[in-house]
Amino acid sequence: MKLQIGSLCLMCVLLSANFVLPVAAFGIVNLNTANSGSVNYLFFGRKNNEVCEVVTDGGNLNVRANTRNNSRIIGKLPNGTMVNILSRGDYISQISATVNRKYIKGWVSNDYLSNCD
């Protein structure tokens, strides 16, 4: 029975690869949505990496552990730091960045992200 289940799972993976690989070979897929405008997806539904600059009045931007504005501060980003957007919401985004050779992944306010591409 284990052999049959394993063969069935392998067959499912091979069948799904036939449908996914042509999209993966294409590269970036652009979808225009009514609510959020144009969104780029890369290969298997992953959002294309967006890079933004931290713009403050000269201070540091707090990076929080989760989406609540009173959650623990896990890092600070200096003005001008370039960050990778992992997911974007209406008011906050999950970012990753490296500051002084330290990797930081957390949540920041969109009010302080600018020059995104």
Side-chain angles (χ1 to χ4, degrees):
M1 186 65 175
K2 288 183 180 180
L3 179 60
Q4 291 174 342
I5 292 172
S7 299
L8 181 61
C9 291
L10 178 61
M11 189 168 54
C12 291
V13 169
L14 292 175
L15 286 174
S16 66
N18 288 332
F19 297 105
V20 174
L21 287 178
V23 173
F26 179 75
I28 296 174
V29 178
N30 185 284
L31 299 176
N32 289 317
T33 60
N35 294 337
S36 62
S38 178
V39 179
N40 289 325
Y41 286 89
L42 181 62
F43 302 131
F44 300 102
R46 292 181 57 179
K47 189 168 188 258
N48 188 18
N49 280 346
E50 183 179 4
V51 178
C52 296
E53 181 181 3
V54 172
V55 178
T56 64
D57 290 331
N60 292 325
L61 176 62
N62 291 334
V63 180
R64 301 209 175 252
N66 58 47
T67 58
R68 292 187 317 267
N69 63 356
N70 62 350
S71 68
R72 182 173 56 93
I73 296 172
I74 58 173
K76 293 182 180 279
L77 300 174
N79 187 37
T81 302
M82 299 305 288
V83 297
N84 295 309
I85 305 297
L86 303 176
S87 69
R88 184 182 280 277
D90 291 337
Y91 304 104
I92 59 171
S93 294
Q94 185 180 33
I95 59 95
S96 68
T98 303
V99 178
N100 296 331
R101 295 185 296 190
K102 179 183 176 194
Y103 178 78
I104 299 172
K105 179 180 173 183
W107 296 88
V108 298
S109 171
N110 288 343
D111 294 338
Y112 300 97
L113 298 177
S114 185
N115 304 325
C116 300
D117 58 303

